[in-house]
Amino acid sequence: MRFTAIPAQQSIKQQLLHVAQGNQVPHAQLFWGSEGSAQLPLALAFATYLNCQHRLHDDACGQCSSCRKMHKLIHPDVKFVFPTSAAKHITGKDVVSNSFLAPWRSFVHAYPYGSVSDWSYYVGSEHKQLAIPREEARHITQHVSFKALEGAYKVVLVWLPEYLHPTAANALLKVLEEPPPYTIFLLASIVPERIMGTIRSRTQAIYVPAFTDESIAHLLTQQHTLAPEQVAQVVTLADGNVSKALKLALDTQGGDLKQFATWMRACYAQDLERLVAQAEVFQQLPRAGQKNFLVYALHMLREVLIIHVGQTTLARTTKAEQALNQKLGQTLTYPQLKCYATWLNQACNHLTRNANAKLLFLDLSLRISRAFTTTT
């Protein structure tokens, strides 16, 4: 990954180039921002630049041995750490990042702006809890104890440090505060408030803002053949999330909308048979797909609320979604919308804790169905 591959973010790029060229690189940096922004790509591009053998003024050369190895994510001086879970042939102390490097490399190339849900689905762990275990701290300490083999710096890149197990985080405190010379820690986080405070305090934080609509539109036109109106719809729905925009670009047929409309009609009709069948449909989705649908449902409720308060200029929906939301807005009251949003958020949390999907969605459907008859 090089800086030129990342849309916009010019001020952060200049900041990183400045500290590298002035040999004032902080020993630990925390790139943080919302899901679908450029935390991981910026960390990768910075690591590439630090060890580039023929640096350019504004980027790594992309041609030297170090750059080629970073492009393949096989540089011997760069250790990648990320959340994992036990697999069929990987258990116990082997459940560490090194055991998953092959799928990790292909995942980063395919989804550089991907989320933890994307990663868990990619490796077939959507029904498992991911974590960065204590054993990972021993591997990190061992990595930084040796001098760099080829580059100027030893780099430890931790994707989603909020998944560090408390014992792993505590084990890393000393080496993070006083790392060996020419050792750099780069952390890329989506939820920095979940990182242990003693870890955060030892890093220099760099906020990575969400992408602008213009940046996402430019990226979409480069990577996909979409009509201008399709690009506009995807950009509106993405709301600064590149990962979401790229997924929407692959599915411009409104699959989530159809599913949501079918579900709402069944709830409104209080048709138990249809609600049970719909819960079974939801159960067949991968865990990440179930959570993504609930997030989409929350998005739709937000748009209905916008219609309620008359702020239609804030709407981020397609014409088809607007038509459905207009109907829901005529049916649902503010107290009902508030209850629905609460229940959907609770369902998201329960899915994260491996709740039974069929029971969860059936219970949620019955609650919503009953609430349709409530007028206050």
Side-chain angles (χ1 to χ4, degrees):
M1 180 70 70
R2 299 169 65 209
F3 288 124
T4 51
I6 305 170
Q9 310 295 351
Q10 292 304 318
S11 61
I12 298 178
K13 293 176 185 177
Q14 289 301 318
Q15 176 185 344
L16 296 173
L17 290 167
H18 177 74
V19 297
Q21 292 165 3
N23 294 319
Q24 297 177 332
V25 182
H27 69 272
Q29 295 181 84
L30 172 63
F31 297 81
W32 69 276
S34 59
E35 187 173 297
S37 51
Q39 306 95 312
L40 178 59
L42 283 168
L44 287 168
F46 188 48
T48 302
Y49 188 79
L50 285 175
N51 281 331
C52 177
Q53 297 165 354
H54 306 292
R55 292 179 184 175
L56 304 177
H57 177 69
D58 59 351
D59 209 344
C61 71
Q63 302 297 322
C64 68
S65 172
S66 177
C67 286
R68 292 197 301 270
K69 290 177 180 177
M70 275 302 301
H71 175 70
K72 296 178 181 179
L73 303 178
I74 59 172
H75 199 292
D77 295 321
V78 180
K79 177 171 178 56
F80 299 106
V81 179
F82 43 85
T84 58
S85 67
K88 186 175 181 180
H89 301 295
I90 303 174
T91 58
K93 291 186 177 181
D94 292 330
V95 184
V96 290
S97 302
N98 284 351
S99 300
F100 295 86
L101 281 177
W104 161 255
R105 289 165 181 148
S106 58
F107 170 76
V108 172
H109 283 121
Y111 306 101
Y113 303 95
S115 66
V116 68
S117 296
D118 298 325
W119 167 238
S120 64
Y121 180 67
Y122 193 83
V123 292
S125 297
E126 62 269 23
H127 298 295
K128 299 177 181 178
Q129 292 288 345
L130 299 180
I132 300 176
R134 178 183 174 82
E135 186 66 17
E136 197 76 71
R138 185 178 67 82
H139 286 260
I140 293 172
T141 303
Q142 184 180 39
H143 174 77
V144 303
S145 66
F146 298 104
K147 292 184 178 180
L149 295 174
E150 298 180 12
Y153 293 91
K154 297 282 287 189
V155 179
V156 178
L157 196 159
V158 184
W159 183 56
L160 304 180
E162 52 266 41
Y163 283 82
L164 277 165
H165 190 276
T167 58
N170 284 322
L172 287 175
L173 288 178
K174 185 174 181 180
V175 69
L176 192 64
E177 185 172 20
E178 297 180 5
Y182 300 101
T183 298
I184 305 298
F185 283 83
L186 304 177
L187 284 62
S189 171
I190 294 174
V191 193
E193 58 269 23
R194 293 184 183 174
I195 303 173
M196 187 179 292
T198 48
I199 293 287
R200 289 203 312 271
S201 65
R202 287 163 168 78
T203 65
Q204 181 182 90
I206 299 176
Y207 171 62
V208 181
F211 286 99
T212 63
D213 289 353
E214 293 76 14
S215 297
I216 294 179
H218 179 68
L219 189 65
L220 289 173
T221 54
Q222 283 184 323
Q223 298 189 15
H224 297 276
T225 303
L226 298 174
E229 60 271 18
Q230 289 177 316
V231 172
Q233 289 179 1
V234 169
V235 166
T236 297
L237 289 172
D239 197 18
N241 185 328
V242 166
S243 179
K244 184 177 180 180
L246 295 174
K247 292 175 190 174
L248 290 168
L250 294 174
D251 179 18
T252 57
Q253 302 305 311
D256 280 341
L257 172 60
K258 294 176 183 177
Q259 191 87 282
F260 180 75
T262 299
W263 185 40
M264 286 294 102
R265 292 189 186 104
C267 290
Y268 181 76
Q270 297 186 330
D271 188 327
L272 181 59
E273 185 176 348
R274 287 168 61 190
L275 291 178
V276 171
Q278 190 64 43
E280 292 174 348
V281 170
F282 289 134
Q283 184 184 32
Q284 298 305 313
L285 295 174
R287 185 68 56 155
Q290 294 164 358
K291 188 172 181 180
N292 287 340
F293 176 77
L294 291 176
V295 171
Y296 176 80
L298 280 167
H299 160 74
M300 290 293 283
L301 291 183
R302 170 191 177 275
E303 300 302 319
V304 175
L305 181 60
I306 284 175
I307 292 174
H308 263 286
V309 298
Q311 297 294 325
T312 54
T313 57
L314 299 176
R316 303 185 74 88
T317 51
T318 64
K319 290 182 179 179
E321 288 173 328
Q322 289 172 13
L324 175 61
N325 288 340
Q326 288 288 348
K327 294 179 181 178
L328 289 174
Q330 295 169 6
T331 305
L332 298 174
T333 64
Y334 173 75
Q336 288 171 322
L337 287 169
K338 186 177 179 181
C339 285
Y340 290 3
T342 299
W343 296 336
L344 286 165
N345 276 311
Q346 289 173 346
C348 285
N349 291 331
H350 293 156
L351 276 180
T352 302
R353 298 172 184 174
N354 290 326
N356 181 287
K358 182 178 178 179
L359 294 179
L360 181 144
F361 276 101
L362 182 57
D363 175 71
L364 180 60
S365 300
L366 292 172
R367 287 190 187 192
I368 292 175
S369 182
R370 287 194 296 267
F372 262 114
T373 62
T374 303
T375 58
T376 59

mmCIF file of all heavy atoms in Angstrom, residues 298-312 325 328-329 332-335 337-338 341:
data_model
loop_
_atom_site.group_PDB
_atom_site.id
_atom_site.type_symbol
_atom_site.label_atom_id
_atom_site.label_comp_id
_atom_site.label_asym_id
_atom_site.label_seq_id
_atom_site.Cartn_x
_atom_site.Cartn_y
_atom_site.Cartn_z
ATOM 1 N N LEU A 298 -31.840 0.139 11.168
ATOM 2 C CA LEU A 298 -31.667 1.351 11.985
ATOM 3 C C LEU A 298 -31.518 2.585 11.110
ATOM 4 O O LEU A 298 -32.036 3.665 11.421
ATOM 5 C CB LEU A 298 -30.441 1.191 12.893
ATOM 6 C CG LEU A 298 -30.640 0.369 14.163
ATOM 7 C CD1 LEU A 298 -29.301 0.014 14.795
ATOM 8 C CD2 LEU A 298 -31.503 1.135 15.161
ATOM 9 N N HIS A 299 -30.779 2.431 10.010
ATOM 10 C CA HIS A 299 -30.619 3.534 9.058
ATOM 11 C C HIS A 299 -31.984 3.969 8.512
ATOM 12 O O HIS A 299 -32.288 5.166 8.425
ATOM 13 C CB HIS A 299 -29.698 3.093 7.918
ATOM 14 C CG HIS A 299 -29.823 3.907 6.666
ATOM 15 N ND1 HIS A 299 -29.322 5.188 6.555
ATOM 16 C CD2 HIS A 299 -30.414 3.627 5.473
ATOM 17 C CE1 HIS A 299 -29.587 5.658 5.347
ATOM 18 N NE2 HIS A 299 -30.246 4.734 4.677
ATOM 19 N N MET A 300 -32.830 3.005 8.178
ATOM 20 C CA MET A 300 -34.146 3.334 7.632
ATOM 21 C C MET A 300 -35.016 4.036 8.672
ATOM 22 O O MET A 300 -35.747 4.984 8.349
ATOM 23 C CB MET A 300 -34.823 2.057 7.136
ATOM 24 C CG MET A 300 -34.169 1.461 5.892
ATOM 25 S SD MET A 300 -34.373 2.506 4.430
ATOM 26 C CE MET A 300 -36.068 2.137 3.991
ATOM 27 N N LEU A 301 -34.942 3.593 9.927
ATOM 28 C CA LEU A 301 -35.724 4.258 10.975
ATOM 29 C C LEU A 301 -35.260 5.698 11.168
ATOM 30 O O LEU A 301 -36.066 6.593 11.422
ATOM 31 C CB LEU A 301 -35.604 3.479 12.281
ATOM 32 C CG LEU A 301 -36.274 2.098 12.318
ATOM 33 C CD1 LEU A 301 -36.124 1.496 13.700
ATOM 34 C CD2 LEU A 301 -37.749 2.198 11.935
ATOM 35 N N ARG A 302 -33.954 5.914 11.051
ATOM 36 C CA ARG A 302 -33.435 7.284 11.139
ATOM 37 C C ARG A 302 -34.052 8.152 10.047
ATOM 38 O O ARG A 302 -34.436 9.308 10.296
ATOM 39 C CB ARG A 302 -31.914 7.271 11.004
ATOM 40 C CG ARG A 302 -31.294 8.652 10.841
ATOM 41 C CD ARG A 302 -29.830 8.579 10.450
ATOM 42 N NE ARG A 302 -29.242 9.899 10.235
ATOM 43 C CZ ARG A 302 -29.309 10.561 9.092
ATOM 44 N NH1 ARG A 302 -29.933 10.038 8.044
ATOM 45 N NH2 ARG A 302 -28.755 11.753 8.967
ATOM 46 N N GLU A 303 -34.173 7.593 8.855
ATOM 47 C CA GLU A 303 -34.729 8.365 7.746
ATOM 48 C C GLU A 303 -36.212 8.648 7.952
ATOM 49 O O GLU A 303 -36.714 9.712 7.581
ATOM 50 C CB GLU A 303 -34.505 7.609 6.431
ATOM 51 C CG GLU A 303 -33.050 7.332 6.096
ATOM 52 C CD GLU A 303 -32.222 8.598 6.018
ATOM 53 O OE1 GLU A 303 -32.716 9.614 5.473
ATOM 54 O OE2 GLU A 303 -31.072 8.582 6.509
ATOM 55 N N VAL A 304 -36.919 7.697 8.558
ATOM 56 C CA VAL A 304 -38.336 7.938 8.880
ATOM 57 C C VAL A 304 -38.453 9.064 9.904
ATOM 58 O O VAL A 304 -39.332 9.936 9.805
ATOM 59 C CB VAL A 304 -39.005 6.656 9.408
ATOM 60 C CG1 VAL A 304 -40.444 6.942 9.847
ATOM 61 C CG2 VAL A 304 -38.991 5.559 8.352
ATOM 62 N N LEU A 305 -37.559 9.069 10.881
ATOM 63 C CA LEU A 305 -37.562 10.127 11.893
ATOM 64 C C LEU A 305 -37.291 11.488 11.255
ATOM 65 O O LEU A 305 -37.887 12.497 11.639
ATOM 66 C CB LEU A 305 -36.510 9.823 12.962
ATOM 67 C CG LEU A 305 -36.407 10.818 14.116
ATOM 68 C CD1 LEU A 305 -37.733 10.910 14.864
ATOM 69 C CD2 LEU A 305 -35.289 10.414 15.077
ATOM 70 N N ILE A 306 -36.396 11.525 10.275
ATOM 71 C CA ILE A 306 -36.110 12.776 9.562
ATOM 72 C C ILE A 306 -37.367 13.303 8.880
ATOM 73 O O ILE A 306 -37.632 14.514 8.867
ATOM 74 C CB ILE A 306 -34.968 12.545 8.539
ATOM 75 C CG1 ILE A 306 -33.628 12.464 9.271
ATOM 76 C CG2 ILE A 306 -34.932 13.651 7.491
ATOM 77 C CD1 ILE A 306 -32.465 12.120 8.374
ATOM 78 N N ILE A 307 -38.154 12.392 8.315
ATOM 79 C CA ILE A 307 -39.420 12.801 7.704
ATOM 80 C C ILE A 307 -40.351 13.375 8.768
ATOM 81 O O ILE A 307 -41.024 14.390 8.550
ATOM 82 C CB ILE A 307 -40.073 11.594 7.001
ATOM 83 C CG1 ILE A 307 -39.230 11.179 5.785
ATOM 84 C CG2 ILE A 307 -41.514 11.925 6.569
ATOM 85 C CD1 ILE A 307 -39.712 9.907 5.113
ATOM 86 N N HIS A 308 -40.373 12.765 9.959
ATOM 87 C CA HIS A 308 -41.227 13.234 11.057
ATOM 88 C C HIS A 308 -40.903 14.673 11.439
ATOM 89 O O HIS A 308 -41.809 15.472 11.705
ATOM 90 C CB HIS A 308 -41.050 12.324 12.281
ATOM 91 C CG HIS A 308 -42.096 11.267 12.402
ATOM 92 N ND1 HIS A 308 -43.392 11.509 12.798
ATOM 93 C CD2 HIS A 308 -42.038 9.935 12.162
ATOM 94 C CE1 HIS A 308 -44.083 10.385 12.806
ATOM 95 N NE2 HIS A 308 -43.283 9.404 12.421
ATOM 96 N N VAL A 309 -39.625 15.000 11.508
ATOM 97 C CA VAL A 309 -39.234 16.337 11.972
ATOM 98 C C VAL A 309 -39.114 17.334 10.823
ATOM 99 O O VAL A 309 -38.747 18.491 11.034
ATOM 100 C CB VAL A 309 -37.905 16.271 12.757
ATOM 101 C CG1 VAL A 309 -38.062 15.404 13.990
ATOM 102 C CG2 VAL A 309 -36.757 15.750 11.891
ATOM 103 N N GLY A 310 -39.387 16.869 9.604
ATOM 104 C CA GLY A 310 -39.403 17.788 8.468
ATOM 105 C C GLY A 310 -38.054 18.225 7.955
ATOM 106 O O GLY A 310 -37.951 19.250 7.265
ATOM 107 N N GLN A 311 -37.000 17.456 8.253
ATOM 108 C CA GLN A 311 -35.647 17.819 7.796
ATOM 109 C C GLN A 311 -35.238 16.925 6.613
ATOM 110 O O GLN A 311 -34.251 16.203 6.659
ATOM 111 C CB GLN A 311 -34.653 17.661 8.947
ATOM 112 C CG GLN A 311 -34.914 18.573 10.118
ATOM 113 C CD GLN A 311 -34.702 20.035 9.763
ATOM 114 O OE1 GLN A 311 -33.830 20.377 8.973
ATOM 115 N NE2 GLN A 311 -35.509 20.897 10.353
ATOM 116 N N THR A 312 -36.019 16.964 5.554
ATOM 117 C CA THR A 312 -35.778 16.070 4.419
ATOM 118 C C THR A 312 -34.459 16.340 3.709
ATOM 119 O O THR A 312 -33.957 15.483 2.980
ATOM 120 C CB THR A 312 -36.931 16.193 3.406
ATOM 121 O OG1 THR A 312 -37.093 17.570 3.043
ATOM 122 C CG2 THR A 312 -38.229 15.659 4.001
ATOM 123 N N ASN A 325 -40.297 4.888 3.186
ATOM 124 C CA ASN A 325 -40.221 5.657 4.429
ATOM 125 C C ASN A 325 -41.378 6.640 4.572
ATOM 126 O O ASN A 325 -41.813 6.940 5.685
ATOM 127 C CB ASN A 325 -38.879 6.393 4.498
ATOM 128 C CG ASN A 325 -37.724 5.452 4.763
ATOM 129 O OD1 ASN A 325 -37.933 4.343 5.255
ATOM 130 N ND2 ASN A 325 -36.516 5.873 4.448
ATOM 131 N N LEU A 328 -44.109 4.534 6.013
ATOM 132 C CA LEU A 328 -43.848 4.245 7.423
ATOM 133 C C LEU A 328 -44.030 5.493 8.276
ATOM 134 O O LEU A 328 -44.515 5.425 9.410
ATOM 135 C CB LEU A 328 -42.430 3.694 7.598
ATOM 136 C CG LEU A 328 -42.192 2.272 7.080
ATOM 137 C CD1 LEU A 328 -40.707 1.914 7.173
ATOM 138 C CD2 LEU A 328 -43.023 1.272 7.874
ATOM 139 N N GLY A 329 -43.635 6.641 7.734
ATOM 140 C CA GLY A 329 -43.773 7.889 8.468
ATOM 141 C C GLY A 329 -45.212 8.253 8.753
ATOM 142 O O GLY A 329 -45.526 8.922 9.748
ATOM 143 N N LEU A 332 -46.076 5.256 11.687
ATOM 144 C CA LEU A 332 -45.360 5.168 12.959
ATOM 145 C C LEU A 332 -45.294 6.510 13.665
ATOM 146 O O LEU A 332 -45.098 7.559 13.033
ATOM 147 C CB LEU A 332 -43.941 4.643 12.723
ATOM 148 C CG LEU A 332 -43.835 3.232 12.137
ATOM 149 C CD1 LEU A 332 -42.382 2.904 11.816
ATOM 150 C CD2 LEU A 332 -44.416 2.213 13.105
ATOM 151 N N THR A 333 -45.425 6.479 14.979
ATOM 152 C CA THR A 333 -45.259 7.664 15.804
ATOM 153 C C THR A 333 -43.825 7.738 16.328
ATOM 154 O O THR A 333 -43.073 6.758 16.244
ATOM 155 C CB THR A 333 -46.220 7.624 17.001
ATOM 156 O OG1 THR A 333 -45.867 6.509 17.836
ATOM 157 C CG2 THR A 333 -47.664 7.477 16.533
ATOM 158 N N TYR A 334 -43.475 8.881 16.899
ATOM 159 C CA TYR A 334 -42.124 9.018 17.460
ATOM 160 C C TYR A 334 -41.860 7.995 18.569
ATOM 161 O O TYR A 334 -40.792 7.361 18.585
ATOM 162 C CB TYR A 334 -41.907 10.439 17.981
ATOM 163 C CG TYR A 334 -40.592 10.593 18.712
ATOM 164 C CD1 TYR A 334 -39.395 10.656 18.016
ATOM 165 C CD2 TYR A 334 -40.546 10.642 20.109
ATOM 166 C CE1 TYR A 334 -38.178 10.780 18.670
ATOM 167 C CE2 TYR A 334 -39.344 10.753 20.781
ATOM 168 C CZ TYR A 334 -38.165 10.825 20.056
ATOM 169 O OH TYR A 334 -36.962 10.933 20.718
ATOM 170 N N PRO A 335 -42.799 7.782 19.541
ATOM 171 C CA PRO A 335 -42.550 6.761 20.572
ATOM 172 C C PRO A 335 -42.323 5.371 19.977
ATOM 173 O O PRO A 335 -41.497 4.603 20.476
ATOM 174 C CB PRO A 335 -43.806 6.799 21.426
ATOM 175 C CG PRO A 335 -44.333 8.185 21.264
ATOM 176 C CD PRO A 335 -44.051 8.524 19.832
ATOM 177 N N LEU A 337 -41.047 4.690 16.954
ATOM 178 C CA LEU A 337 -39.719 4.703 16.346
ATOM 179 C C LEU A 337 -38.632 4.560 17.406
ATOM 180 O O LEU A 337 -37.630 3.849 17.200
ATOM 181 C CB LEU A 337 -39.514 6.008 15.558
ATOM 182 C CG LEU A 337 -40.278 6.132 14.242
ATOM 183 C CD1 LEU A 337 -40.189 7.560 13.712
ATOM 184 C CD2 LEU A 337 -39.729 5.158 13.204
ATOM 185 N N LYS A 338 -38.841 5.226 18.536
ATOM 186 C CA LYS A 338 -37.867 5.145 19.620
ATOM 187 C C LYS A 338 -37.761 3.720 20.146
ATOM 188 O O LYS A 338 -36.649 3.210 20.384
ATOM 189 C CB LYS A 338 -38.267 6.099 20.747
ATOM 190 C CG LYS A 338 -37.252 6.202 21.871
ATOM 191 C CD LYS A 338 -37.692 7.237 22.906
ATOM 192 C CE LYS A 338 -36.678 7.310 24.052
ATOM 193 N NZ LYS A 338 -37.109 8.298 25.077
ATOM 194 N N ALA A 341 -35.953 1.450 17.538
ATOM 195 C CA ALA A 341 -34.502 1.682 17.511
ATOM 196 C C ALA A 341 -33.827 1.024 18.714
ATOM 197 O O ALA A 341 -32.748 0.423 18.586
ATOM 198 C CB ALA A 341 -34.216 3.181 17.486
#
